[in-house]
């Protein structure tokens, strides 16, 4: 579609360009033909005038001289001039002397009074006439001048030019050029078949006049019938099946017109070439465009494929990262459980000495009671046995309490959350740590509400929280002169708040920022691993609570745990 438009535009513009170009050429050629024709005529135009002034000619016409002498003179002059003939007519139109006096076609004695040029010159004008010679049968241009004597016209001098040579040159030139006379008869032409044809059919009067003048004797003067298509200047015309561009010009000093024709086939041929070139060029351009588009599409699909691959690998990486993260999360969760367990074991390790001490005492006591019971039985003092046995029983109860606590502590968390009374958890923790509290001679202060403080948690893990914080407080107070552990249990809004404070040295600012980070410890190696508070933090957070630590103005550290209060359980 676009290609078609391009071809059409190219061809039509080429057509216009070609026509413009050809018109310019035509004008130049026309001017050239015109000037060459005028040069051929002007070469002889002066001749009759010069001859008309010669005394031998004047004398011959006047009858006072010799006509033959005049003929000799004309012959001599014409030998030089090279015209077809140079001759003199008397007042009646009779040829009295001629340059061709001694040839078979001699004009001497011929009557040319019927020729218009004779009458024109007799009337004192220059005669200018193209016609076919009645004597020779050869066409030529007749230019005539009056011969005057004492202001009287006594004869006429005529020069006949044959323009065959010029016409032949035109024909050889291969261009289409012709001259039409005042009647529209084509007198000179490069196209032989148009010679003596007329531009328009002649009127009867014109034809009659031409016949009378014997101007084109023997010619039919058929019309090409193109006069209707001709206006001044230029245009197009059709002759037969041929189309032409024409340029026309009046020949100065005559009533002739000269035509220069350019065949339209030149235009169409050029248009054809241009069309062919344009089609090929458009085809090539289309091919290039298609090629470029194809390449662009290919590149685009390659880019898309690359992008797709990139996104796919990104997705795969993301998926891998997600899997990795899940794995890490699971591992962390597992680690946290392990840490809880590890924390408990560490606590157990530390407590083992105290526990061993606690248990060793009742065992030793039981052993002593058993030995004394044996003695009593041997001695038959069985009435005292009862007291002995009840002491043994109370000792085993105490031991049972200790092992019971240990059993509870070593119990692994079920992971199931249930309503738990924080006070109970705290009791258990304190029970667990009581040997240490006692050993270290630490004073315990408890301030708490009477009602149960229910939270949604896991008893074992809540105990772990309490144990970790209290154990740290005891550790911190190891060198304190006054060791007092204060525990406050209150509620605020919908939270249970547990504050555990000590009379230790408190915490450095640096330590405050890192307290809950895993493996942060200020204790000597073997004393602490830095996991207690990070595990505590994790547990509290799991139960939807929060934990913070700060130094008290009175000195010592305080750990504050907040957990959501289960109201329905408290009522
Ligand atoms: P660990 O007890 O094994 O060092 P924790 O995570 O339980 O690990 O405690 C981290 C650190 O927090 C302790 O080493 C100590 O420096 C500091 N800390 C904890 N509780 C107290 C406290 N009550 N007073 C002063 N410092 C404390």
């Amino acid at each position: 579609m676009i290609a078609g438009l391009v071809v059409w535009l190219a061809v039509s513009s080429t057509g216009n360009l070609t026509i413009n170009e050809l018109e310019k050429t035509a004008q130049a050629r026309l001017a050239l033909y015109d000037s060459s024709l005028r040069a051929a005529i002007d070469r002889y135009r002066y001749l009759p005038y010069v001859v008309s002034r010669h005394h031998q000619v004047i004398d011959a016409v006047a009858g006072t001289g010799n006509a033959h002498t005049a003929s000799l003179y004309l012959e001599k002059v014409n030998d030089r001039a090279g015209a077809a003939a140079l001759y003199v007519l008397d007042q009646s139109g009779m040829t009295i002397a001629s340059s061709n006096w001694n040839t078979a076609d001699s004009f001497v004695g011929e009557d040319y009074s019927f020729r218009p040029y004779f009458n024109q010159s007799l009337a004192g004008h220059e005669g200018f006439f193209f016609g076919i010679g009645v004597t020779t049968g050869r066409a030529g241009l007749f230019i005539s001048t009056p011969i005057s004597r004492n202001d009287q016209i006594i004869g006429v001098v005529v020069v006949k030019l044959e323009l065959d040579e010029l016409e032949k040159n035109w024909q050889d030139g291969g261009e289409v050029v012709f001259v039409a006379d005042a009647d529209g008869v084509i007198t000179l032409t490069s196209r032989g078949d148009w010679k003596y044809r007329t531009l328009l059919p002649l009127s009867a009067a014109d034809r009659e006049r031409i016949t009378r003048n014997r101007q084109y004797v023997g010619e039919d003067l058929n019309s090409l019938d193109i006069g209707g298509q001709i206006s001044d200047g230029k245009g197009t015309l059709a002759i037969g099946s041929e189309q032409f561009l024409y340029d026309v010009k009046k020949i100065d000093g005559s009533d002739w017109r000269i035509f220069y024709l350019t065949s339209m086939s030149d235009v169409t041929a050029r248009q054809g070439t241009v069309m062919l070139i344009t089609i090929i060029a458009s085809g090539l351009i289309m091919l290039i465009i298609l090629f470029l588009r194809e390449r662009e599409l290919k590149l685009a699909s390659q880019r898309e494929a690359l992008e797709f691959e990139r996104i796919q690998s990104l997705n795969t990486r993301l998926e891998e990262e997600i899997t990795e993260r899940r794995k890490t999360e699971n591992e962390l969760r597992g680690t946290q459980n392990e840490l809880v367990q590890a924390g408990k074991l560490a606590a157990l390790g530390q407590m083992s000495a105290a526990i061993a001490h606690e248990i060793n005492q009742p065992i030793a006591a039981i052993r002593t009671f058993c030995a004394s019971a044996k003695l009593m039985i041997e001695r038959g003092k069985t009435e005292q046995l009862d007291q002995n046995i009840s002491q043994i029983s109370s000792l085993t109860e105490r031991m049972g309490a200790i092992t019971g606590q240990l059993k509870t502590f070593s119990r692994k968390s079920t992971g199931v959350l249930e309503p738990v009374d924080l006070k109970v958890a705290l009791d258990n923790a304190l029970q667990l740590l009581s040997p240490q509290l006692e050993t270290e001679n630490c004073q315990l202060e408890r301030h708490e509400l009477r009602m149960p403080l229910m939270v949604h948690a896991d008893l074992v893990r809540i105990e772990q929280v309490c144990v970790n914080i209290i154990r740290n407080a005891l550790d911190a107070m190891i060198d304190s002169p006054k060791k007092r552990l204060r525990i406050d249990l209150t509620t605020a809004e919908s939270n249970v708040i547990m504050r555990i404070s000590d009379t230790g040295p408190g915490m450095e600012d640096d330590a405050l920022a890192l307290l809950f980070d895993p493996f942060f410890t200020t204790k000597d190696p073997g004393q602490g691993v830095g996991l207690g508070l990070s595990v505590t933090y994790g547990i509290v957070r799991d139960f939807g609570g929060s934990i913070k630590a700060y130094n008290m103005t009175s000195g010592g550290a305080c750990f504050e745990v907040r957990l959501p209060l289960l109201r329905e359980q408290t009522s």
Side-chain angles (χ1 to χ4, degrees):
M1 159 81 181
I2 292 169
L5 199 71
V6 168
V7 172
W8 179 78
L9 274 174
V11 169
S12 62
S13 60
T14 315
N16 290 339
L17 279 177
T18 312
I19 288 171
N20 286 340
E21 204 181 293
L22 289 175
E23 270 172 359
K24 267 190 205 148
T25 313
Q27 276 170 7
R29 300 297 294 160
L30 184 66
L32 199 72
Y33 280 109
D34 176 41
S35 68
S36 71
L37 176 63
R38 273 192 294 119
I41 296 168
D42 288 348
R43 233 176 103 200
Y44 298 99
R45 207 156 194 162
Y46 71 94
L47 198 58
Y49 177 75
V50 172
V51 169
S52 73
R53 315 285 289 193
H54 198 271
H55 66 93
Q56 284 180 339
V57 170
I58 298 168
D59 288 349
V61 180
T64 55
N66 190 320
H68 183 62
T69 314
S71 284
L72 289 174
Y73 164 71
L74 293 174
E75 185 185 9
K76 204 165 77 191
V77 171
N78 200 42
D79 274 353
R80 280 289 178 88
L86 185 63
Y87 53 102
V88 175
L89 309 178
D90 66 11
Q91 262 182 317
S92 64
M94 184 68 73
T95 311
I96 57 158
S98 176
S99 62
N100 62 0
W101 62 274
N102 60 349
T103 64
D105 291 333
S106 171
F107 292 173
V108 178
E110 294 289 339
D111 180 1
Y112 294 119
S113 58
F114 59 90
R115 290 294 205 194
Y117 62 80
F118 169 71
N119 295 311
Q120 280 164 1
S121 290
L122 212 57
H125 308 295
E126 183 188 49
F128 198 82
F129 175 80
F130 188 90
I132 298 173
V134 286
T135 314
T136 57
R138 293 162 63 91
L141 178 65
F142 300 85
I143 305 169
S144 62
T145 301
I147 305 168
S148 304
R149 185 169 166 164
N150 302 329
D151 292 334
Q152 286 266 311
I153 296 171
I154 55 169
V156 172
V157 181
V158 189
V159 64
K160 180 185 178 189
L161 323 176
E162 284 178 5
L163 298 167
D164 302 8
E165 191 75 18
L166 184 83
E167 203 172 23
K168 191 169 175 305
N169 285 343
W170 288 6
Q171 283 168 2
D172 292 347
E175 292 177 313
V176 185
V177 59
F178 63 82
V179 174
D181 69 6
D183 293 315
V185 179
I186 296 175
T187 51
L188 295 169
T189 172
S190 63
R191 292 277 293 260
D193 51 336
W194 293 351
K195 186 114 176 166
Y196 304 126
R197 303 288 294 275
T198 60
L199 302 182
L200 275 172
L202 290 170
S203 67
D206 287 342
R207 193 172 276 277
E208 190 275 322
R209 175 174 44 80
I210 289 167
T211 313
R212 189 163 16 94
N213 293 341
R214 297 164 71 183
Q215 193 169 0
Y216 300 111
V217 179
E219 297 297 335
D220 296 337
L221 303 179
N222 288 331
S223 177
L224 284 173
D225 213 1
I226 54 172
Q229 304 173 49
I230 297 168
S231 57
D232 277 348
K234 58 186 181 180
T236 54
L237 58 82
I239 303 179
S241 58
E242 283 183 90
Q243 285 281 340
F244 295 96
L245 292 171
Y246 74 86
D247 270 77
V248 59
K249 188 173 185 302
K250 202 168 168 303
I251 298 175
D252 284 349
S254 76
D255 45 15
W256 289 4
R257 284 180 297 166
I258 182 163
F259 290 78
Y260 183 88
L261 270 57
T262 309
S263 175
M264 281 297 269
S265 58
D266 286 359
V267 179
T268 28
R270 213 177 272 206
Q271 276 178 324
T273 315
V274 169
M275 192 191 290
L276 200 71
I277 291 170
T278 315
I279 288 172
I280 291 170
S282 309
L284 276 174
I285 291 170
M286 291 290 285
L287 274 179
I288 290 170
I289 291 172
L290 280 177
F291 171 75
L292 289 177
R293 245 184 81 180
E294 181 76 25
R295 215 177 61 160
E296 183 52 36
L297 284 175
K298 217 169 173 176
L299 284 176
S301 75
Q302 272 174 2
R303 274 202 300 271
E304 264 171 33
L306 278 177
E307 186 65 6
F308 181 72
E309 256 175 44
R310 203 178 64 83
I311 290 173
Q312 220 173 24
S313 77
L314 215 72
N315 277 350
T316 321
R317 244 180 38 219
L318 271 176
E319 272 166 23
E320 280 170 8
E321 262 172 36
I322 289 169
T323 322
E324 189 66 21
R325 202 155 284 184
R326 277 205 190 118
K327 214 174 113 194
T328 315
E329 215 175 274
N330 285 339
E331 275 172 10
L332 275 178
R333 203 163 284 148
T335 311
Q336 199 189 45
N337 280 337
E338 278 167 24
L339 283 176
V340 171
Q341 203 64 14
K344 284 192 282 193
L345 287 174
L348 272 175
Q350 279 194 355
M351 286 186 299
S352 56
I355 293 165
H357 174 74
E358 278 298 301
I359 290 178
N360 275 348
Q361 267 185 333
I363 286 175
I366 288 169
R367 208 178 275 143
T368 312
F369 282 125
C370 282
S372 65
K374 206 176 161 190
L375 276 173
M376 280 174 195
I377 292 167
E378 278 171 7
R379 290 174 192 167
K381 293 180 179 172
T382 48
E383 66 281 1
Q384 287 176 11
L385 264 181
D386 186 38
Q387 193 191 348
N388 230 354
I389 285 167
S390 46
Q391 273 175 329
I392 288 172
S393 163
S394 86
L395 281 170
T396 51
E397 254 170 46
R398 189 175 165 199
M399 285 167 69
I402 293 169
T403 51
Q405 276 304 326
L406 285 175
K407 206 172 148 197
T408 317
F409 189 70
S410 66
R411 195 175 71 217
K412 200 169 177 179
S413 155
T414 56
V416 181
L417 303 189
E418 53 196 0
V420 171
D421 185 356
L422 190 55
K423 281 161 81 175
V424 173
L426 184 65
D427 287 344
N428 290 347
L430 285 169
Q431 177 75 38
L432 207 66
L433 291 166
S434 62
Q436 213 172 331
L437 280 164
E438 265 174 45
T439 318
E440 305 214 345
N441 206 15
C442 182
Q443 185 192 335
L444 176 66
E445 227 178 83
R446 280 180 75 163
H447 301 272
E448 56 197 35
L449 302 171
R450 276 206 194 150
M451 62 175 191
L453 298 171
M454 303 305 289
V455 291
H456 196 56
D458 168 356
L459 182 66
V460 177
R461 293 213 277 165
I462 281 290
E463 280 171 21
Q464 180 71 40
V465 168
C466 300
V467 166
N468 285 353
I469 297 172
I470 295 168
R471 210 157 46 82
N472 274 342
L474 291 174
D475 286 347
M477 291 186 293
I478 197 93
D479 296 325
S480 296
K482 186 178 176 217
K483 298 176 184 177
R484 194 189 69 211
L485 186 74
R486 177 178 169 143
I487 301 173
D488 288 89
L489 282 176
T490 55
T491 57
E493 294 168 4
S494 53
N495 287 317
V496 180
I497 301 169
M498 174 171 74
R499 289 195 192 89
I500 301 173
S501 56
D502 58 51
T503 51
M507 295 150 295
E508 301 283 325
D509 284 350
D510 292 354
L512 266 174
L514 301 167
L515 279 185
F516 300 103
D517 287 359
F519 303 107
F520 172 77
T521 179
T522 56
K523 295 174 189 166
D524 294 335
Q527 296 292 306
V529 287
L531 291 173
L533 285 183
S534 79
V535 168
T536 303
Y537 181 90
I539 294 170
V540 173
R541 203 195 48 192
D542 280 355
F543 298 153
S546 64
I547 179 168
K548 64 179 181 181
Y550 51 88
N551 290 320
M552 296 190 301
T553 43
S554 54
C558 179
F559 282 77
E560 181 184 302
V561 175
R562 279 172 185 259
L563 287 165
L565 178 67
L566 272 181
R567 288 196 180 277
E568 60 273 27
Q569 298 296 327
T570 60
S571 56

